[in-house]
């Protein structure tokens, strides 16, 4: 085939391809019209070698595919993306805060070196992390941004390990008070006489859940935004005293023993509203042995999954009815977390 003989067909093919490129999602009859036009021209044109026809078809296909990929506005099949951050934070014994992949347990990246051992589980509020470290005869509550920037939030005169973050605020315990920082002047909420705070949880809307204990009994209280006293929350009959709490979807999620006498290491997450009405109870999780409340951390992520973490022990990811063990948080150097980990939140 010489250049003159192929010119009409090339022009027709080029015109057809331009029409396809102009409309990446062609009408249903576009291909049929293009083929019909080609057949009409073929009946008039002299016969050409089969390899030439095949080459033209391959070239047309290649041009069409390139147009689909390169043209702005061309439809693309959605690509699956990983859930961010899909990691939790923990502190090693030497005071290094780092993030860890929740499924593999590998360290994602170091966040900050605090220079002192972290007491209790860190707290997280979006991309900010908070921790308690020894300072000045008591403790400093320090904040760490995702880029490693560090600042002091508050100072507690007495050591403790309870900390919570949410809604732009941080809550910690100092002596017989719960102190809220980060939104204007600090707010102090007295702890009922004879009660010891074992856990705190701050909701995104500013509500504070306070878990206290007196001997073997535990009590759950709620503090509305701006209030200075906590309202006791009556839990459903037959519910064992909670060991840890967090907020999830505007409800309180409480980690409670399956056996109230402590004879079993099995726990479950029960969700209740502010009236104490039970919303649901999750799958049982066997911790092996039931740890004290100060050694437990319950946290949740934006997907509604829960992370149960025990000081120096195991970790479990609870996703609906599925329970999956999570590897212990250990840095590449072999240094492992001395306190429980927590979801970023």
């Amino acid at each position: 085939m010489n250049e003159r003989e192929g010119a009409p067909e090339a022009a027709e093919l080029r015109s057809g391809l331009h029409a396809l490129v102009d409309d990446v999602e062609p009408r249903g009859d576009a291909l049929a019209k293009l083929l019909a036009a080609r057949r009409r021209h073929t009946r008039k044109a002299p016969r050409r070698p089969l390899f030439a026809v095949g080459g033209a078809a391959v070239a047309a296909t290649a041009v069409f595919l390139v147009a689909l990929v390169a043209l702005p506005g061309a439809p693309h099949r959605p690509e699956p993306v990983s859930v961010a951050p899909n990691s939790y934070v923990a502190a090693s014994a030497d005071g290094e805060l780092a993030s860890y992949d929740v499924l593999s347990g590998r360290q994602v990246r170091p966040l900050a070196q605090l220079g002192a051992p972290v007491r209790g589980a860190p707290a997280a509020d979006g991309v900010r992390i908070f921790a308690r470290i020894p300072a000045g005869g008591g403790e400093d509550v320090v904040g760490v941004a995702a880029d490693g920037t560090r600042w002091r939030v508050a100072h507690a005169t007495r050591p403790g390990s309870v900390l919570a973050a949410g809604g732009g605020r941080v809550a910690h315990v100092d002596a017989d008070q719960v102190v809220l920082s980060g939104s204007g002047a600090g707010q102090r909420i007295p702890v009922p006489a004879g009660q010891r705070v074992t856990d705190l949880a701050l909701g995104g809307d500013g509500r504070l859940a306070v878990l206290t204990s007196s001997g073997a009994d535990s009590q759950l209280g709620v503090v509305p935004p701006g209030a200075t006293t906590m309202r006791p929350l009556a839990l459903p009959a037959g519910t064992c005293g909670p060991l840890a709490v967090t907020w999830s979807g505007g409800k309180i999620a409480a980690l409670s023993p399956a056996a109230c006498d402590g004879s079993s290491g099995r726990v479950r997450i029960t969700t209740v509203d502010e009236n104490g009405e039970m919303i649901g109870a999750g799958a049982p999780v066997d911790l092996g042995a039931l740890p004290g409340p100060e050694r437990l951390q319950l946290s949740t992520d934006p997907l509604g999954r829960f992370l149960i973490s025990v000081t120096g022990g195991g970790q479990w990811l609870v996703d609906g009815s599925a329970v999956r063990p999570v590897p212990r948080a250990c840095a590449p150097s072999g240094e492992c977390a001395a306190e429980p980990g927590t979801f970023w939140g």
Side-chain angles (χ1 to χ4, degrees):
M1 179 181 68
N2 58 39
E3 183 176 351
R4 180 179 300 276
E5 290 175 335
E9 181 179 2
E12 181 178 320
L13 183 58
R14 186 179 300 109
S15 175
L17 288 175
H18 285 171
L20 289 176
V21 169
D22 289 338
D23 184 6
V24 177
E25 293 183 2
R27 298 183 341 191
D29 61 349
L31 181 59
K33 287 183 176 180
L34 182 62
L35 294 176
R38 176 176 170 75
R39 282 196 297 269
R40 286 195 302 271
H41 179 78
T42 301
R43 286 196 296 267
K44 298 176 183 179
R47 297 182 64 181
R48 289 170 295 277
L50 181 60
F51 75 88
V53 177
V58 170
T61 303
V63 172
F64 181 66
L65 291 177
V66 169
L68 286 178
V69 174
L71 275 181
H76 291 82
R77 179 176 298 177
E79 294 293 335
V81 295
S82 60
V83 177
N86 204 33
S87 62
Y88 65 96
V89 293
S92 60
D94 63 355
E96 182 183 67
L97 277 174
S99 62
Y100 295 84
D101 182 74
V102 74
L103 299 180
S104 68
R106 66 176 177 83
Q107 187 184 96
V108 178
R109 65 186 176 100
L111 298 170
Q113 173 54 253
L114 302 182
V118 173
R119 290 176 172 168
D125 178 12
V127 296
R128 302 181 304 166
I129 306 102
F130 303 90
R132 297 180 68 134
I133 59 174
E139 288 181 343
D140 276 350
V141 177
V142 296
V144 177
D147 62 359
T149 304
R150 173 182 164 183
W151 68 98
R152 191 176 87 157
V153 177
H155 178 76
T157 58
R158 298 185 188 178
S161 60
V162 182
L163 190 64
R169 299 193 299 172
V170 184
H172 71 278
V173 178
D174 187 10
D176 57 355
Q177 295 179 321
V178 177
V179 183
L180 289 170
S181 308
S183 181
Q187 182 181 351
R188 292 181 174 268
I189 302 162
V191 178
Q195 298 287 315
R196 179 176 62 92
V197 178
T198 56
D199 201 8
L200 295 170
L202 263 171
D205 58 0
R207 289 179 296 171
L208 173 68
V210 183
L211 182 62
T212 61
S213 67
S214 175
D217 299 325
S218 61
Q219 175 66 55
L220 184 57
V222 176
V223 183
T228 56
T229 58
M230 63 184 72
R231 176 176 60 85
L233 182 65
L235 294 175
T239 302
C240 303
L243 301 169
V245 292
T246 189
W247 288 95
S248 178
K251 309 298 181 185
I252 298 175
L255 182 69
S256 304
C260 298
D261 60 1
S263 59
S264 168
R266 289 159 63 89
V267 297
R268 68 175 70 246
I269 300 170
T270 302
T271 307
V272 297
D273 62 19
E274 287 196 41
N275 297 317
E277 297 292 332
M278 183 182 293
I279 306 300
V285 182
D286 192 351
L287 305 185
L290 200 62
E294 67 280 355
R295 299 183 60 233
L296 270 172
Q297 172 75 351
L298 176 67
S299 57
T300 187
D301 72 352
L303 293 181
R305 302 177 301 176
F306 295 97
L307 178 66
I308 302 172
S309 186
V310 181
T311 301
Q315 301 185 115
W316 294 264
L317 177 67
V318 182
D319 186 2
S321 60
V323 178
R324 174 175 180 167
V326 174
R328 189 177 176 188
C330 295
S333 64
E335 188 77 27
C336 296
E339 298 287 353
T342 187
F343 267 133
W344 287 71

